Amino acid sequence: MSVRGDPVPPRLDPLAVRRLMREVGHRPRHSLSQNFLADVDVLERILAAAAPEPGRRVLEIGPGLGILTGGLLAAGCRVTAVELDRTLLRRLRAVFAPEIAAAATDPGAFGGLRLVEGDILDQDVGSLVETPFDVVANLPYHITSPILHRLLGTDPRPERLVLMVQREVAERIAAPPGRMSYLSVFVQYHASARVAFRVPAAAFEPEPAVESAVIVLDARPLHGPHRPAPLEAALEDDLWRLVQAAFRERRKMLHNVLARQLPIDSARVGRALEAAGIDPDRRPQTLAVDEWLRLREAIGPLPADHRGRPRTTSDPDPLDADRPATDPSETEAR
């Protein structure tokens, strides 16, 4: 399929989105936290941040009404979109029938769309899209943390992620030392992070009770002069055990909290902090990613222990523990 010219911005406002939902026969589902993008200026800013190029592979999570999908396809991207809602899937199949047919005929077709029914957390990303690829998505906010863990913590990793998330979560992801959290450390270990812009609740239909923001994550190369060699699996497990243990008592001094939360004695903690050049009276939120890496190396392998053991698939995601205490209205903006 040939790349289209510069797309004409769609009519996009709350009334138009409401009318579209009536035509489709769709009511926003609270169980999926569905709120739909209704501001063309925000759409254009998302696309500008994503900088889509003809032929670029893009994974979109939760395409919803297909508003962002259309912009990516118009730019000539090869889009794989994963959608759970069957009513919305019927609309997407109808609206983008030529793009879906083009991708089925030629997977390399510019502006082609592969539409996948299902929950992104149940998908094998490697089977969905070939590398290199980007992720551009208005994320389901209630599963932002598990999605970040899946996309950044396992291979294959996207090269760039442009994501609409809850504003508080975006600011936490990109926080500097002094305001770090488990989520900050995890994401910034894997990628550089910046908040591109805020998005008011009025940009959605229906309006959510929280503000949103678009965040840009550029994955760090696995090798290079400014990137240490990636940790082996066991050592990376130890890193996250260490960080998770520290943030269980984020307002406490490191030398106290680590001795309580890890199966090592206070003398070993003290020696490790000194070797890493970290003041033992500092709080966990003040440490940058490179300091956590130095501390992990100084502490060495951690003994097995229930409190700090590596997660299993039945364990709660440690990123979820880092979410705001009052997020009942987290929303999915599509």
Side-chain angles (χ1 to χ4, degrees), residues 121-315:
L121 295 177
D122 295 332
Q123 306 296 318
D124 174 10
V125 174
S127 67
L128 289 178
V129 59
E130 296 179 16
T131 57
F133 71 99
D134 297 333
V135 174
V136 183
N138 300 325
L139 286 185
Y141 291 0
H142 65 293
I143 56 171
T144 296
S145 292
I147 287 176
L148 286 171
H149 195 278
R150 172 69 62 84
L151 293 175
L152 292 174
T154 59
D155 288 328
R157 294 192 310 164
E159 292 189 345
R160 166 173 277 207
L161 301 90
V162 179
L163 307 172
M164 178 94 75
V165 298
Q166 183 178 340
R167 177 182 60 80
E168 290 185 14
V169 175
E171 292 173 349
R172 185 175 302 106
I173 288 170
R179 294 191 288 113
M180 297 286 279
S181 63
Y182 184 99
L183 182 58
S184 313
V185 177
F186 177 83
V187 173
Q188 292 180 34
Y189 169 80
H190 291 288
S192 64
R194 64 180 176 88
V195 178
F197 58 92
R198 293 184 179 184
V199 181
F204 303 96
E205 174 58 37
E207 289 190 20
V210 294
E211 283 191 332
S212 305
V214 171
I215 192 163
V216 178
L217 308 177
D218 286 302
R220 302 188 187 281
L222 295 178
H223 303 278
H226 304 294
R227 171 67 166 163
L231 295 174
E232 297 176 3
L235 298 181
E236 188 171 337
D237 282 341
D238 280 351
L239 172 65
W240 302 127
R241 290 175 63 192
L242 170 64
V243 177
Q244 185 180 1
F247 279 104
R248 288 196 186 101
E249 300 180 58
R250 69 182 66 209
R251 293 178 178 84
K252 302 296 184 180
M253 297 178 184
L254 279 167
H255 70 280
N256 290 331
V257 65
L258 292 179
R260 281 194 294 268
Q261 294 292 340
L262 290 173
I264 56 178
D265 58 46
S266 58
R268 180 175 169 184
V269 170
R271 291 192 299 270
L273 288 166
E274 182 178 5
I278 298 171
D279 187 326
D281 291 342
R282 288 175 62 183
R283 269 65 174 178
Q285 64 264 32
T286 68
L287 268 63
V289 173
D290 62 336
E291 292 178 300
W292 286 112
L293 290 170
R294 293 205 308 268
L295 183 56
R296 185 221 57 80
E297 184 176 10
I299 286 180
L302 293 173
D305 177 77
H306 177 78
R307 294 169 301 171
R309 74 193 192 286
R311 292 178 59 242
T312 68
T313 55
S314 61
D315 289 331

Side-chain angles (χ1 to χ4, degrees), residues 3-226:
V3 181
R4 303 172 186 169
D6 292 337
V8 177
R11 181 176 177 189
L12 197 58
D13 58 42
L15 287 176
V17 171
R18 240 175 280 155
R19 183 165 54 252
L20 178 57
M21 285 190 290
R22 284 198 301 270
E23 292 172 358
V24 174
H26 181 74
R27 298 183 65 181
R29 295 172 60 184
H30 180 71
S31 62
L32 297 181
S33 308
Q34 288 178 339
N35 296 74
F36 300 97
L37 186 62
D39 188 315
V40 71
D41 292 331
V42 173
L43 171 62
E44 290 175 345
R45 294 185 72 183
I46 294 172
L47 292 171
E53 298 179 352
R56 183 66 173 173
R57 296 186 188 91
V58 174
L59 173 63
E60 185 184 7
I61 299 165
L65 294 171
I67 292 165
L68 179 56
T69 315
L72 294 168
L73 292 171
C77 294
R78 292 181 281 176
V79 179
T80 298
V82 181
E83 176 57 63
L84 181 61
D85 190 298
R86 292 185 175 179
T87 301
L88 297 176
L89 279 163
R90 285 196 296 271
R91 167 183 160 75
L92 293 167
R93 291 188 181 111
V95 170
F96 298 114
E99 290 83 355
I100 293 171
T105 302
D106 176 9
F110 287 15
L113 171 64
R114 180 187 176 203
L115 193 58
V116 177
E117 179 179 355
D119 186 329
I120 185 62
L121 295 177
D122 295 332
Q123 306 296 318
D124 174 10
V125 174
S127 67
L128 289 178
V129 59
E130 296 179 16
T131 57
F133 71 99
D134 297 333
V135 174
V136 183
N138 300 325
L139 286 185
Y141 291 0
H142 65 293
I143 56 171
T144 296
S145 292
I147 287 176
L148 286 171
H149 195 278
R150 172 69 62 84
L151 293 175
L152 292 174
T154 59
D155 288 328
R157 294 192 310 164
E159 292 189 345
R160 166 173 277 207
L161 301 90
V162 179
L163 307 172
M164 178 94 75
V165 298
Q166 183 178 340
R167 177 182 60 80
E168 290 185 14
V169 175
E171 292 173 349
R172 185 175 302 106
I173 288 170
R179 294 191 288 113
M180 297 286 279
S181 63
Y182 184 99
L183 182 58
S184 313
V185 177
F186 177 83
V187 173
Q188 292 180 34
Y189 169 80
H190 291 288
S192 64
R194 64 180 176 88
V195 178
F197 58 92
R198 293 184 179 184
V199 181
F204 303 96
E205 174 58 37
E207 289 190 20
V210 294
E211 283 191 332
S212 305
V214 171
I215 192 163
V216 178
L217 308 177
D218 286 302
R220 302 188 187 281
L222 295 178
H223 303 278
H226 304 294

